[in-house]
Amino acid sequence: MLLSGRALEKPAPEQPVGHREGKMNVFEEFKRLVIELERHEVRYALVGGVAMAFYTEPRFTRDIDLLVDFADFEKVKGILDKDGYFESASPWTFRRVPVQLHRFSKVTPEDEMMIDILVAKTEEVKRVLRDDVEAESEHGRVVLANKKDLV
């Protein structure tokens, strides 16, 4: 399935999305990250608020949530490290969902950005990656979780 994405389109100047003067823009950070994920052939699926913007009206969000395969986690960590992110908390595990969450932060004098990497270790969760959906935005291809896997 191919969706037309509004999530990565440039916001109108009178209504910037996720950006104030001197602040990082979540969509610009995501665009840069996607370029690197594609370049390093990382299998990922966008989840969370940015992914939902492809299915419904965008909502204000200040973080990026990605699901990645366990085998690609070290690549992702390297990509984030090169872009100024650091792992800012111990990994979280969830009682009912077989994923591990790694939170990465990037801090500037005026702002902070978070990227949550959900690491899929079981076939059940890896199915979300197999059932992903490609979306097109003005900045190119984006891979996101199927709507049924987001809600």
Side-chain angles (χ1 to χ4, degrees):
M1 177 193 302
L2 185 63
L3 300 175
S4 173
R6 291 175 286 177
L8 295 182
E9 294 175 2
K10 291 183 181 177
E14 66 274 6
Q15 294 181 338
V17 178
H19 180 75
R20 296 183 302 252
E21 192 59 41
K23 302 286 185 177
M24 286 184 272
N25 181 304
V26 68
F27 298 107
E28 290 299 316
E29 290 291 310
F30 177 66
K31 178 176 74 171
R32 219 172 34 254
L33 178 58
V34 165
I35 290 168
E36 289 301 309
L37 293 172
E38 295 288 336
R39 191 166 74 81
H40 288 89
E41 299 179 351
V42 171
R43 184 75 190 259
Y44 74 93
L46 179 64
V47 296
V50 178
M52 286 304 294
F54 281 91
Y55 295 106
T56 187
E57 289 298 313
R59 67 175 176 88
F60 181 79
T61 185
R62 289 291 302 154
D63 72 341
I64 299 165
D65 304 291
L66 291 176
L67 177 67
V68 302
D69 191 296
F70 176 76
D72 287 329
F73 176 68
E74 289 301 320
K75 283 188 204 176
V76 174
K77 191 173 178 177
I79 291 166
L80 292 172
D81 184 56
K82 286 181 183 173
D83 198 27
Y85 286 87
F86 61 94
E87 196 158 3
S88 56
S90 297
W92 303 348
T93 56
F94 301 91
R95 199 175 285 180
R96 296 188 176 164
V97 182
V99 298
Q100 189 173 52
L101 184 145
H102 295 260
R103 174 157 288 168
F104 291 84
S105 297
K106 182 180 193 179
V107 179
T108 67
E110 297 176 353
D111 204 4
E112 178 179 18
M113 181 70 62
M114 287 184 292
I115 297 180
D116 289 336
I117 303 298
L118 297 148
V119 180
K121 293 184 175 183
T122 66
E123 288 306 312
E124 175 188 0
V125 178
K126 289 178 184 182
R127 180 196 52 76
V128 175
L129 293 170
R130 286 191 304 272
D131 293 347
D132 62 15
V133 175
E134 287 188 19
E136 288 293 329
S137 76
E138 72 177 46
H139 302 292
R141 180 180 93 99
V142 177
V143 179
L144 56 144
N146 195 303
K147 186 176 182 180
K148 68 179 174 52
D149 293 319
L150 291 174
V151 288

